[in-house]
Amino acid sequence: MAVEHTLRSNFVFAPPEDTPAAWQTSLETFRDALERAFPDAFLETNTSGLRDVPVLDFEIEVAPEVFVTGTAAMPASDYAHVSIIDVTADTAALFAHWLRDSYVPSPASVRFLSSFVMENGDETPWAVPSTGNAAEIAAVLRSHLAAADA
């Protein structure tokens, strides 16, 4: 019997700390990439109430009937992060797989952190595997979540 993984968390994806400009991105290029990959995406540019910078709010269907809602902040070429909210590790992995393989310039340039782990006192980012499919990424995300219980 397969185990269903239902723990939900928010995930933040960002470039490596030692090379924050690794993605060389902007809200416009991120919007364009989302529109190409997810033609029915809901996309809306707003201003973050926390940092007073432009953000892109989005909702995309990463698999049939599987939706991801998030926000991208990319106010400068050396600063970027994408947050997705209230998702399982499996759903977050579908998004991370697209981000790693279809948007960022290097598959080794994506790190992540979850709100669940941060709430338990750990703010150490983990790397998204630079190879592998969404199931392999999900296994790493689940390990990350499980580390909070250890």
Side-chain angles (χ1 to χ4, degrees):
M1 180 175 169
V3 175
E4 185 177 353
H5 302 280
T6 58
L7 178 65
R8 300 179 83 78
S9 187
N10 301 335
F11 286 86
V12 176
F13 299 94
E17 281 182 282
D18 59 343
T19 51
W23 289 5
Q24 288 296 304
T25 190
S26 69
L27 285 183
E28 293 77 25
T29 63
F30 190 69
R31 173 188 279 278
D32 292 346
L34 287 173
E35 286 176 333
R36 280 191 307 278
F38 309 100
D40 295 328
F42 167 80
L43 306 169
E44 183 175 68
T45 303
N46 290 304
T47 300
S48 168
L50 294 174
R51 293 190 178 86
D52 197 34
V53 297
V55 295
L56 178 67
D57 294 327
F58 61 91
E59 182 177 60
I60 56 175
E61 187 174 14
V62 293
E65 300 299 315
V66 179
F67 294 88
V68 168
T69 301
T71 300
M74 302 172 182
S77 63
D78 64 347
Y79 176 78
H81 77 270
V82 180
S83 303
I84 57 176
I85 59 170
D86 194 30
V87 293
T88 64
D90 292 337
T91 300
L94 293 170
F95 177 79
H97 188 248
W98 170 80
L99 181 70
R100 182 198 69 192
D101 289 0
S102 300
Y103 184 67
V104 299
S106 166
S109 69
V110 182
R111 63 188 170 106
F112 73 93
L113 193 57
S114 70
S115 60
F116 180 77
V117 171
M118 287 177 65
E119 288 168 4
N120 286 290
D122 186 353
E123 295 187 16
T124 306
W126 287 37
V128 170
S130 60
T131 61
N133 60 23
E136 292 167 301
I137 295 171
V140 172
L141 297 178
R142 282 192 299 276
S143 293
H144 169 79
L145 295 171
D149 289 334

